[in-house]
Amino acid sequence: MSKHRLGEFEEVVLLTVAILHDGAYGIAIIDEMEKQLERKVSIGSLQTVLRRLEKKGYLSSRFGEATKMRGGKRKRYFTLTSHGIKILETTKQQRMALWNAIPNLDFRNGHA
């Protein structure tokens, strides 16, 4: 098992950054997460996780151009690093191994 593990919210943030590719910045990430998961996400919790994931080396960030619409403030764009891709792949493999280990699971009838 990997030394580092992702929490559920961390995993969702990394996956969303991957979905958005070059367009992954704060509000766009929140909008995509809310669309995909149909749940509210606060900007504060997202910013905390983005900083943590960047510190762990799973994300990198860069500033975009300043715009008048944002009062001269620049957007911070996030991208997955090779470590971020690797931890997502490891997490997916772990989850799939667990799913595959369930015997005779029949969700249609609500029981195993």
Side-chain angles (χ1 to χ4, degrees):
M1 222 192 251
S2 172
K3 177 179 143 188
H4 296 285
R5 291 178 190 81
L6 290 177
E8 186 255 350
F9 191 65
E10 290 177 322
E11 181 182 359
V12 169
V13 170
L14 288 176
L15 289 168
T16 305
V17 169
I19 290 167
L20 294 171
H21 192 54
D22 288 333
Y25 66 94
I27 298 302
I29 295 169
I30 287 174
D31 289 346
E32 186 67 23
M33 288 173 69
E34 289 180 351
K35 181 179 105 180
Q36 294 286 342
L37 303 175
E38 298 179 2
R39 76 179 199 199
K40 288 288 182 195
V41 177
S42 76
I43 189 71
S45 62
L46 176 65
Q47 288 174 342
T48 299
V49 169
L50 288 169
R51 280 192 296 272
R52 184 180 329 134
L53 292 170
E54 194 168 16
K55 190 173 184 177
K56 289 180 177 181
Y58 300 147
L59 291 176
S60 62
S61 67
R62 64 175 171 73
F63 283 106
E65 295 297 319
T67 63
K68 287 183 181 181
M69 192 165 114
R70 292 178 44 86
K73 191 172 179 185
R74 301 183 303 166
K75 292 178 185 173
R76 178 174 282 221
Y77 290 90
F78 293 88
T79 55
L80 287 173
T81 64
S82 60
H83 294 302
I85 293 167
K86 185 175 180 179
I87 194 71
L88 278 177
E89 289 172 346
T90 299
T91 301
K92 181 182 177 184
Q93 290 170 0
Q94 290 170 347
R95 289 190 190 276
M96 291 310 297
L98 290 169
W99 277 102
N100 293 333
I102 299 171
N104 304 320
L105 188 61
D106 187 356
F107 285 112
R108 293 168 295 179
N109 296 322
H111 62 295

Coordinates of all heavy atoms in Angstrom, one line a residue, residues 90-102:
T90 N -3.1 4.7 -8.1 CA -3.0 3.8 -7.0 C -4.3 3.7 -6.2 O -4.8 2.6 -5.9 CB -1.9 4.2 -6.0 OG1 -0.6 4.2 -6.7 CG2 -1.8 3.3 -4.8
T91 N -5.0 4.8 -6.0 CA -6.2 4.8 -5.3 C -7.3 4.1 -6.1 O -8.1 3.3 -5.5 CB -6.7 6.3 -5.1 OG1 -5.7 6.9 -4.3 CG2 -8.0 6.4 -4.3
K92 N -7.3 4.3 -7.4 CA -8.3 3.6 -8.3 C -8.1 2.1 -8.2 O -9.0 1.3 -8.1 CB -8.2 4.1 -9.7 CG -9.2 3.4 -10.6 CD -9.0 3.9 -12.1 CE -9.9 3.1 -13.0 NZ -9.7 3.5 -14.4
Q93 N -6.8 1.6 -8.3 CA -6.5 0.2 -8.2 C -7.0 -0.4 -6.8 O -7.5 -1.5 -6.8 CB -5.0 0.0 -8.4 CG -4.6 0.2 -9.8 CD -3.1 0.2 -9.9 OE1 -2.3 0.0 -9.0 NE2 -2.6 0.4 -11.1
Q94 N -6.7 0.4 -5.8 CA -7.1 -0.1 -4.4 C -8.7 -0.2 -4.4 O -9.2 -1.2 -3.8 CB -6.6 0.8 -3.3 CG -5.1 0.8 -3.2 CD -4.6 1.9 -2.3 OE1 -5.3 2.9 -2.0 NE2 -3.4 1.8 -1.8
R95 N -9.4 0.8 -4.8 CA -10.8 0.7 -4.8 C -11.4 -0.4 -5.7 O -12.3 -1.1 -5.3 CB -11.4 2.0 -5.3 CG -11.2 3.2 -4.3 CD -12.0 4.4 -4.7 NE -11.7 5.5 -3.9 CZ -12.2 5.8 -2.7 NH1 -13.1 4.9 -2.1 NH2 -11.9 6.9 -2.0
M96 N -10.8 -0.6 -6.9 CA -11.3 -1.7 -7.8 C -11.0 -3.0 -7.1 O -11.8 -4.0 -7.3 CB -10.6 -1.6 -9.1 CG -11.1 -0.3 -9.9 SD -12.9 -0.2 -10.0 CE -13.3 -1.7 -10.9
A97 N -9.9 -3.2 -6.5 CA -9.6 -4.5 -5.8 C -10.6 -4.8 -4.7 O -11.1 -5.9 -4.6 CB -8.2 -4.4 -5.2
L98 N -11.0 -3.7 -4.0 CA -12.1 -3.9 -3.0 C -13.4 -4.3 -3.7 O -14.1 -5.2 -3.2 CB -12.2 -2.7 -2.1 CG -11.1 -2.4 -1.2 CD1 -11.2 -1.0 -0.6 CD2 -11.0 -3.5 -0.1
W99 N -13.8 -3.6 -4.7 CA -15.0 -3.9 -5.4 C -15.0 -5.3 -6.0 O -16.0 -6.0 -5.9 CB -15.3 -2.9 -6.6 CG -15.9 -1.6 -6.1 CD1 -15.3 -0.4 -5.9 CD2 -17.3 -1.4 -5.8 NE1 -16.2 0.5 -5.5 CE2 -17.4 -0.1 -5.4 CE3 -18.4 -2.2 -5.8 CZ2 -18.7 0.5 -5.1 CZ3 -19.6 -1.7 -5.5 CH2 -19.8 -0.4 -5.1
N100 N -13.9 -5.7 -6.5 CA -13.8 -7.0 -7.1 C -13.7 -8.1 -6.1 O -14.0 -9.3 -6.4 CB -12.5 -7.1 -8.0 CG -12.6 -6.2 -9.2 OD1 -13.7 -5.9 -9.7 ND2 -11.5 -5.8 -9.8
A101 N -13.4 -7.8 -4.9 CA -13.4 -8.8 -3.8 C -14.8 -9.1 -3.2 O -14.9 -10.0 -2.4 CB -12.4 -8.4 -2.7
I102 N -15.8 -8.3 -3.5 CA -17.1 -8.5 -3.0 C -17.8 -9.7 -3.8 O -17.9 -9.6 -5.0 CB -18.0 -7.2 -3.2 CG1 -17.4 -6.1 -2.4 CG2 -19.4 -7.5 -2.7 CD1 -18.0 -4.7 -2.7

